[in-house]
Amino acid sequence: MNFQKFIEEYQTYNTPAEIRSECNAITFINTGTSNVQINGLNLFPGQQLISEGNEGELNATRYRLSFTGGGNEICTVIRKIYI
């Protein structure tokens, strides 16, 4: 039986950024206390946005990450990357 190997890459952002997905699945988690905006979608503290891919798919989206309101600006991004 052949298995498709992958890694999970974890990155933390605390400034506005453009994030190139280039992976099968990507998750954005607002781990701070300010609001996070992903392509205009507002994530409150503790909320997450998940884009899951099907087998053999590659997400090529460019996500715009920004912060609004006061507090700690922290967004954790997890990318599933085939190797």
Side-chain angles (χ1 to χ4, degrees):
M1 179 182 259
N2 285 337
F3 293 101
Q4 177 66 48
K5 292 183 180 183
F6 67 90
I7 60 170
E8 289 184 338
E9 177 185 272
Y10 292 75
Q11 290 184 286
T12 302
Y13 294 86
N14 60 6
T15 58
E18 179 181 274
I19 300 168
R20 299 181 77 176
S21 184
E22 301 301 326
C23 60
N24 175 261
I26 190 168
T27 301
F28 298 88
I29 306 168
N30 184 350
T31 49
T33 57
S34 67
N35 295 338
V36 173
Q37 288 194 328
I38 308 296
N39 287 358
L41 177 67
N42 201 36
L43 297 180
F44 297 105
Q47 287 187 314
Q48 58 186 347
L49 170 66
I50 302 170
S51 177
E52 296 180 355
N54 294 314
E55 184 177 341
E57 290 183 333
L58 182 73
N59 181 343
T61 305
R62 292 182 183 197
Y63 294 95
R64 292 178 315 280
L65 180 144
S66 61
F67 299 93
T68 61
N72 294 327
E73 299 177 340
I74 306 169
C75 183
T76 301
V77 179
I78 305 168
R79 298 169 58 225
K80 177 182 175 183
I81 303 169
Y82 288 122
I83 55 173

